[in-house]
Amino acid sequence: MRLKSTITLLLLNLATFGLIFLLQNDNRSQPGAAQGLSSQISRHVIEADQIRIEGPGLREAHPRILRREGSNWFLESSVRWPANYFAVNRILNQLQFLEEQIAFSVEEIRRTGQSLGDYGLKTPFLVLRVSGEESSIDLKIGSPTEIGGNVYILGPGGRQIHVVSYELIDSLLVPEDELRNRKVFDIPVFEIEALGVQHLHAQDNGQADLKVLLRRSTNGWRFESPLSAGADPARVTNTINRLASLKVRRFIPEQGDPLRRGLDSPSMKVTLHGNKRQQTLLIGNPSQSSGQEPAYYARIEGNPTVFTVEAKPFDELRIAQQSLRERNFMNFGDALPGAINLLGNGLEIRLRRLETGGWQGIEGDNGKDVMPRRASQAIIGKFIKDLKDLYATGFPVDSPTPSDLDRLGFSNPERTIQLSFQGDSPDLVLELAHPRDNEENLYARTN
């Protein structure tokens, strides 16, 4: 009896294992029969490095191709451009968490005398292909259901029809412009270490090209070209922030007259220098759009995609060598001068700071010194503060020639002010002058 029972149990086990084996094989061959669409495609979505969307449901005749490089996605259909992270993420989330209402096999509908055409799947509204390094899946999207706000999808392998939420279609049918990241520069603000502006003048106006370069240092921002000078930190920071957050106003189709856009001979190049990388924006002709703020045609160097950008930031950059300059030019910080000499109109006044903290003044007249007199500490304190607060309203000449200096009156300055400091600090000399033919403007220069 025991042997008979053992043999019976062994046969039952073999039958059970055989049934499990057959069911597993059947599930492998018909994945949709055992699991929902979301489960079937989840792994492919997670590993996806390319999404291809095509079909008559698109506004464009060409397919939309999204390709992942590292952690970034790019739209590579009509033109290559960084993709909108949120739009791509919405597509991936909709695929990974599909709300499936029901599923039935293609064999079932055929037994009832129906066909794929009855569900809009013979000529699909959209065809979606999600690809990874080793595999890909195709989803064919057909007609919307009559009620419920859903849509029919032919799953991978073409064996099962699934009814899912129409939200997936909404994410796939966003305008192509919305699939693009509208930021012009992708170098973050904290990484930017230099700003270059190159003005490319027309040859017939007699002006040469002008290159402006500002670079960040431990002491703030400075001009390296066309001159060595301090830059206004607040103005430069505002300009950098504005450029880094610059958005594309409108993408321009490839059709059209490229000469009208002026990008074959751009009027300006704006370059942001980051950490071992840089991006250059080419600025072309004005874009005339009625009812909108002024704009320029533009494109990133090395990328043929043409778009428009707001004109105002670039109009301001045309005078960057002046607009971004540091205008407080008497910068001696908290240092207190030990002596001040005032010269002009035949007078010489020498002021000396005493060890007690007070000041004494010696006035020279016709080559003769008069007796020292105590000077007003309050008036001298205000005078030093006024010197620190001197503010340039403009920069008429950056590299003056002797004739420039003579024309502006520096051959016979109205006043010369010399500040002497203790220790190794050099003297600071300020000259103030009126032009010979215009005494309304006062010009200044330092040593």
Side-chain angles (χ1 to χ4, degrees):
M1 288 292 293
R2 289 180 180 177
L3 178 61
K4 186 176 180 180
S5 298
T6 301
I7 292 173
T8 302
L9 289 174
L10 179 60
L11 291 173
L12 288 173
N13 283 335
L14 289 172
T16 301
F17 284 124
L19 180 61
I20 292 173
F21 179 77
L22 290 173
L23 288 175
Q24 285 179 336
N25 280 347
D26 185 58
N27 285 341
R28 288 192 189 101
S29 62
Q30 299 185 37
Q35 53 187 337
L37 181 59
S38 179
S39 300
Q40 295 179 53
I41 68 176
S42 178
R43 178 177 64 85
H44 298 278
V45 173
I46 293 172
E47 298 175 355
D49 55 25
Q50 181 174 301
I51 301 172
R52 181 185 178 96
I53 309 167
E54 59 186 328
L58 296 179
R59 298 179 183 179
E60 310 87 21
H62 56 264
R64 298 178 181 178
I65 300 173
L66 294 159
R67 195 184 307 277
R68 181 167 62 87
E69 295 181 7
S71 59
N72 299 317
W73 284 86
F74 292 85
L75 180 64
E76 295 187 340
S77 46
S78 57
V79 293
R80 176 180 166 84
W81 190 261
N84 182 339
Y85 168 81
F86 299 101
V88 176
N89 214 38
R90 183 187 176 198
I91 294 174
L92 294 174
N93 285 336
Q94 288 292 335
L95 288 171
Q96 194 166 1
F97 305 104
L98 276 176
E99 296 180 11
E100 184 174 357
Q101 308 300 321
I102 194 173
F104 43 89
S105 70
V106 174
E107 287 299 324
E108 289 179 51
I109 66 169
R110 285 175 178 164
R111 285 197 295 268
T112 60
Q114 295 180 303
S115 68
L116 291 177
D118 296 317
Y119 298 88
L121 294 169
K122 184 176 182 181
T123 304
F125 179 68
L126 290 174
V127 177
L128 173 67
R129 170 170 291 182
V130 180
S131 306
E133 288 186 5
E134 299 179 354
S135 60
S136 65
I137 56 167
D138 288 342
L139 300 177
K140 296 180 179 179
I141 300 169
S143 307
T145 58
E146 294 183 2
I147 57 174
N150 298 313
V151 67
Y152 296 109
I153 291 183
L154 185 62
R159 297 184 181 89
Q160 288 253 313
I161 298 174
H162 307 262
V163 179
V164 304
S165 170
Y166 200 85
E167 288 184 21
L168 172 62
I169 309 303
D170 290 337
S171 69
L172 298 177
L173 289 180
V174 297
E176 192 173 46
D177 274 3
E178 292 184 22
L179 281 177
R180 297 188 179 106
N181 184 345
R182 303 191 80 85
K183 283 194 68 174
V184 174
F185 295 101
D186 62 9
I187 300 179
V189 170
F190 67 85
E191 189 183 317
I192 297 172
E193 58 186 25
L195 166 64
V197 181
Q198 186 174 3
H199 304 284
L200 305 169
H201 299 287
Q203 295 180 356
D204 57 358
N205 66 7
Q207 290 182 290
D209 293 352
L210 175 65
K211 295 181 180 180
V212 177
L213 178 63
L214 296 101
R215 191 174 299 278
R216 191 202 303 268
S217 68
T218 53
N219 298 322
W221 288 87
R222 284 193 63 83
F223 281 88
E224 291 188 357
S225 176
L227 75 166
S228 177
D232 186 314
R235 289 171 181 259
V236 175
T237 299
N238 288 339
T239 299
I240 294 291
N241 288 340
R242 196 170 184 178
L243 290 173
S245 60
L246 186 69
K247 299 291 182 64
V248 171
R249 176 174 288 180
R250 181 169 60 97
F251 287 98
I252 305 300
E254 291 184 359
Q255 297 82 8
D257 182 7
L259 294 177
R260 185 171 63 88
R261 300 166 186 165
L263 290 168
D264 290 339
S265 300
S267 62
M268 181 188 294
K269 292 184 178 182
V270 179
T271 304
L272 294 184
H273 300 260
N275 183 15
K276 297 182 180 179
R277 58 173 173 156
Q278 67 182 48
Q279 280 185 299
T280 298
L281 180 67
L282 309 181
I283 301 297
N285 294 333
S287 169
Q288 304 297 332
S289 297
S290 59
Q292 292 188 349
E293 293 294 324
Y296 287 115
Y297 290 108
R299 70 176 178 88
I300 292 291
E301 192 170 55
N303 189 321
T305 305
V306 177
F307 48 89
T308 62
V309 291
E310 178 189 0
K312 187 175 180 180
F314 303 98
D315 289 340
E316 294 174 354
L317 282 176
R318 294 186 189 280
I319 54 170
Q321 70 274 20
Q322 291 210 28
S323 64
L324 300 182
R325 287 273 285 279
E326 174 59 77
R327 293 172 180 261
N328 293 100
F329 55 90
M330 292 292 286
N331 297 318
F332 48 94
D334 296 328
L336 189 63
I340 303 173
N341 293 332
L342 307 175
L343 305 173
N345 290 337
L347 287 177
E348 177 182 353
I349 299 175
R350 289 176 287 166
L351 302 168
R352 300 291 182 267
R353 185 161 54 90
L354 304 175
E355 292 183 359
T356 59
W359 287 82
Q360 90 175 359
I362 302 174
E363 181 179 350
D365 186 9
N366 296 323
K368 298 179 180 180
D369 291 340
V370 298
M371 292 295 294
R373 289 182 293 181
R374 186 175 63 181
S376 167
Q377 190 166 348
I379 291 177
I380 293 179
K382 182 178 183 304
F383 175 65
I384 292 174
K385 181 180 182 302
D386 288 344
L387 287 176
K388 287 183 178 181
D389 292 342
L390 277 177
Y391 185 85
T393 58
F395 300 90
V397 185
D398 284 330
S399 300
T401 64
S403 62
D404 289 328
L405 296 176
D406 182 59
R407 173 175 55 83
L408 296 177
F410 287 103
S411 56
N412 184 26
E414 195 80 18
R415 291 286 185 273
T416 299
I417 303 169
Q418 181 180 8
L419 306 181
S420 299
F421 302 89
Q422 294 179 347
D424 297 330
S425 298
D427 290 354
L428 182 58
V429 179
L430 170 67
E431 290 183 345
L432 303 172
H434 284 297
R436 292 192 305 269
D437 57 351
N438 182 1
E439 293 196 356
E440 293 182 2
N441 295 325
L442 183 65
Y443 291 87
R445 70 167 184 159
T446 68
N447 59 332

